[in-house]
């Protein structure tokens, strides 16, 4: 039996907690005080520790370290797991302080800092859109002179498409930099390349990819966040050229970045201009926005569960085996909804395998052997949602989950 | 090619690096604490000095530090960050990771700063270390104490030198000390106190290869010197002797296991009375206590100058070549002196190549072709200092310097 300390500054990861407990482990959860009332899987958690947040929502690191030290006086910790992207640095810091195996601070940056990941990918000969840090005025001017607009300015360390600003002229770009003030060095600029965005969801075991599923966003995350679009994704045709290419690139990337044991969610863009794949970003976590449910419907693999199983095997030093996967197709559609609680009466297609039950949201997942059928259904139900449910909210200026 | 160095010095230390960098035509910026403002920094060789106020533990506010560097970088490109004191290694790593500068990152820096991390890493690499335990878990400590033989030493994981060490002879003494440490106990470790001769290996590394190593032996271990106010003495050991070969080999194994790329390193080993050589600790810096003078006398290598050269070659992507070295023997002796300006006429042998010029201190470095001659001079000077000049101050007073 091993002991897991799971960090989550957001309400997510119940499936991990359950799978981890069911594998016979002791499971501790550390979360924020204000998430106390969320429906955590308390039946599968041995003890929960709540951390008071600071004004900026972040945890007080001293409290976290002291609390962990106190817990460790009487309880040995074998693995520390970051359930949310925002917890990756915290987990890495705790691991380094308490010398617990797993991803350390240097590697964690490759999965959290968008500047670090671009530099690391470029070093590893993985194609990335032209980018520059915002440290030095001369370097920035070089970039603005030599790289075709439009550009996007984005935070290095936040986990969503919010906080991203698009600009078209050097004057606009400098206005943005000036408004960033002291925070400028925490942002980067890159060329905005129009194209189709793909996501690759993986499970890594001892540095090797044990499971990989590539999918395709029908609307780019930027469109969804900024233009109030509808979130849609569909699995890729198996063994198609794109599918193989993405698998290869993701393998290369995980190797270059030093991934060992974790779930990861990696995004690539296939540029309209040259038809090539460019690496966008990666995170050492399960993809958000219910993508794990989509992956589950296509493959029968629950990413949260398998992540827990990989960690469990690592903690006990036993071999991990991925369960046999299916090769079905699945598509997801999620939108904000004008209706508080949708009754889904009109959502009658037999391919619908999952419905989202969340206030002011509507969403379904379709499952079929045929990818074309999934695409058809996505079109059909997008029209339905657009006409009867869809609502759009302005993009948040602060990143959320 | 001129390189721009950002030197970090939380103590008044490393002026030699600044001078050598300046001589080689490089640019140096320095960040130090306000309280060292009046120290004789080579100000005419520094582009700009930035002073930060340290708190009572001599720590800087890292937010201010990073903001200040971000501001400097807006107009000045920094190529390398150089920690001048051992305490600055973590800060330098943080700066490098934040601004994506080349050099040692946070995970590797821990192996050179955190004595617990270095022991665990060494053990994993099958390098012998004295038995040790972290102070995290009560059960682990109890088991370890039961299986281990005293006396033990409780030491901070990351202070330089031998400050803050406590020797314990019984488990009761150990537990009392742990209780006294309170919340700080996670920052300490316990290990077996092993008797034997302590050796130090001083190396130059480039591209992960150890290019030069000089092995010397302390005639009185540092622990005794600091705690008992003795005389500090070291001597280069016979070249190609079995100890020299064994320690050189072990030293390479340590630096390789710890991921050392380019730097100078100072690594200590103990030749225990049972005939085993154990790794004690390592630091990625030029050795303190004027050992650089001992190295220069024996080999002709100025480690400060070579360090500058190594760092600038990385920047030019050129190969660093070790200058021709000599294989002479040298010895160093230093001590506190009860006289403010001691009379050096007793140290007038032709072999003396360097004399310590510091109030209330006495010291010299001497060199000869014969190892025996160095030992004879050591005895002669030690007896004189013991009889005529010795005074001792408590270690705390010394560190306050």
């Amino acid at each position: 039996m091993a002991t897991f300390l799971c960090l989550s500054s957001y309400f997510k990861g119940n499936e991990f907690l359950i799978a981890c407990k069911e594998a016979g482990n002791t499971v501790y959860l550390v979360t924020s005080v204000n998430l106390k009332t969320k429906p955590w899987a308390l039946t599968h958690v041995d003890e929960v520790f709540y951390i008071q947040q600071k004004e900026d929502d972040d945890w007080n690191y001293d409290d976290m370290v002291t609390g962990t030290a106190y817990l460790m006086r009487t309880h040995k910790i074998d693995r520390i797991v970051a359930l949310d992207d925002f917890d990756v640095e915290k987990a890495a810091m705790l691991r380094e302080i308490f010398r617990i195996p797993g991803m350390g601070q240097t590697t964690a940056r490759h999965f959290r800092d968008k500047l670090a990941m671009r530099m690391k990918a470029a070093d590893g000969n993985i194609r990335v859109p032209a980018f520059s840090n915002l440290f030095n005025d001369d370097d920035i001017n070089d970039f603005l002179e030599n790289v075709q607009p439009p550009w996007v300015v984005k935070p290095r360390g936040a986990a969503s498409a919010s906080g991203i600003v698009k600009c078209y002229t050097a004057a606009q770009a400098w206005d943005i930099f000036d408004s960033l003030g002291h925070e400028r060095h925490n942002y980067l600029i890159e060329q905005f390349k129009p194209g189709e965005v793909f996501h690759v969801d993986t499970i890594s075991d001892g540095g090797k990819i044990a499971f990989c599923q590539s999918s395709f966003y029908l609307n780019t995350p930027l469109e969804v966040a900024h233009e109030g679009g509808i979130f849609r994704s569909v699995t890729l045709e198996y063994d198609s050229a794109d599918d193989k290419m993405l698998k290869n690139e993701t393998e290369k990337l995980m190797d270059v970045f030093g991934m060992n044991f974790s779930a990861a969610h990696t995004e690539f863009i296939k540029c309209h201009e040259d038809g090539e794949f460019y690496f966008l970003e990666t995170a050492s976590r399960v993809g958000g926005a219910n993508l794990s449910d989509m992956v589950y419907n296509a493959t029968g693999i629950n990413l949260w569960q398998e992540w827990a199983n990989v960690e469990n095997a690592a903690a006990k030093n036993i071999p991990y085996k991925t369960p046999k996967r299916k090769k079905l197709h699945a598509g997801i559609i999620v939108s904000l909804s004008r209706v508080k609680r949708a009754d889904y009466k009109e959502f009658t297609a037999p391919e619908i395998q999952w419905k989202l039950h969340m206030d002011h949201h509507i969403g379904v997942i379709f499952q079929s052997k045929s990818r074309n059928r999934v695409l058809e259904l996505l079109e059909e139900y997008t029209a339905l949602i657009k006409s009867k449910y869809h609502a759009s909210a302005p993009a948040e200026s602060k990143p959320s989950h | 090619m001129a390189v721009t160095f950002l030197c970090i010095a939380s103590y008044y230390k490393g002026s030699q690096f600044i001078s050598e960098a300046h001589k080689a035509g490089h640019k140096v910026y320095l960040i130090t604490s306000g309280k060292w403002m009046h120290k004789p920094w080579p100000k005419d060789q520094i582009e700009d000095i930035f002073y930060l106020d340290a708190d009572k533990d001599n720590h800087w506010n890292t937010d201010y530090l990073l903001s200040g560097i971000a501001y400097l970088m807006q107009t000045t490109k920094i190529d390398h960050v150089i920690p001048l004191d051992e305490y600055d290694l973590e800060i330098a790593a943080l700066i490098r990771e934040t601004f994506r500068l080349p050099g040692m990152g946070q995970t590797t820096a821990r192996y050179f700063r955190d004595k617990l991390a270095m022991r665990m890493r060494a053990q994993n690499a099958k390098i012998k270390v004295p038995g040790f335990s972290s102070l995290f878990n009560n059960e682990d400590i109890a088991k370890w104490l039961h299986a281990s033989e005293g006396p033990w030493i409780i030491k901070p994981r990351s202070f330089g030198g031998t400050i803050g060490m406590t020797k314990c002879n019984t488990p009761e003494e150990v537990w009392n000390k742990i209780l006294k440490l309170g919340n700080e106990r996670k920052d300490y470790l316990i290990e077996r106190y092993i008797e034997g001769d302590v050796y130090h290996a001083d190396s130059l590394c480039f591209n992960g290869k150890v290019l030069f190593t000089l092995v010397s032996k302390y005639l009185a271990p540092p622990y005794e010197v600091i705690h008992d106010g003795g005389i500090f003495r070291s001597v280069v050991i016979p070249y190609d002797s079995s100890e020299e070969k064994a320690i050189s080999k072990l030293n390479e194994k340590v630096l390789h296991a710890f991921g050392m790329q380019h730097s100078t390193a100072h690594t200590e080993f103990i030749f225990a009375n049972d005939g085993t050589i154990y790794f004690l600790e390592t630091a990625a810096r030029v050795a303190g206590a004027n050992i650089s003078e001992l190295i220069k006398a024996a080999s002709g290598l100025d480690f400060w100058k070579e360090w500058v050269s190594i760092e600038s070659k990385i920047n030019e992507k050129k190969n660093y070549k070790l200058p021709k070295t000599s294989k002479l023997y040298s010895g160093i002796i230093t001590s506190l002196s009860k006289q403010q300006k001691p009379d050096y006429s007793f140290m007038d042998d032709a072999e003396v190549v360097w004399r310590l010029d510091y109030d209330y201190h006495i010291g010299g470095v001497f060199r000869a072709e014969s190892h025996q001659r160095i030992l004879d001079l050591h005895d002669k000077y030690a007896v004189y200092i013991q009889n005529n000049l010795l005074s001792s101050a408590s270690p705390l007073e010394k560190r306050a310097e």
Side-chain angles (χ1 to χ4, degrees), chain A residues 65-66 69-70 72-76 93 96-99 104-107 109-110 113 115-116 119 134-139 142 156 181-182 184-186, chain B residues 66-67 70 72-77 94 97-100 105-108 110-111 114 116-117 120 135-140 143 157 182-183 185-187:
Chain A
V65 171
T66 309
Y70 195 77
M72 284 185 72
R73 288 186 190 183
T74 46
H75 298 82
K76 289 184 221 179
M93 185 176 131
E96 296 239 14
I97 291 174
F98 296 103
R99 309 314 304 166
Q105 290 175 293
T106 296
T107 305
R109 291 210 189 232
H110 301 150
D113 174 353
L115 177 62
M119 291 174 70
L134 297 184
F135 301 148
N136 183 263
D137 294 354
D138 291 342
D139 284 349
D142 271 355
R156 290 166 60 184
H182 285 316
R184 185 177 107 175
H185 68 281
N186 292 325
Chain B
L66 294 177
S67 296
L72 171 68
M73 285 182 74
Q74 291 187 4
T75 48
T76 307
K77 288 188 211 178
L94 174 72
E97 296 239 17
T98 303
F99 298 101
R100 308 314 303 166
Q106 290 176 288
T107 297
T108 306
R110 296 231 182 213
Y111 297 130
D114 174 352
L116 178 62
M120 290 174 71
L135 297 185
F136 300 144
N137 184 265
N138 295 342
E139 200 186 317
D140 279 350
K143 266 191 204 152
R157 289 167 60 183
N183 280 347
R185 75 181 234 194
K186 67 180 195 307
D187 302 324

Side-chain angles (χ1 to χ4, degrees), chain A residues 231-243:
Chain A
F231 177 83
R232 297 186 300 167
S233 179
V234 61
T235 49
L236 278 200
E237 200 60 74
Y238 291 106
D239 299 320
S240 60
D242 284 355
D243 183 41

Side-chain angles (χ1 to χ4, degrees), chain B residues 204 212 292 295-296 299-303 306 320 322-325:
Chain B
L204 294 173
F212 173 84
S292 57
I295 300 168
K296 200 187 339 182
S299 66
L301 289 174
D302 180 337
F303 262 39
E306 296 314 312
Y320 165 79
L322 189 73
K324 249 188 123 57
T325 58

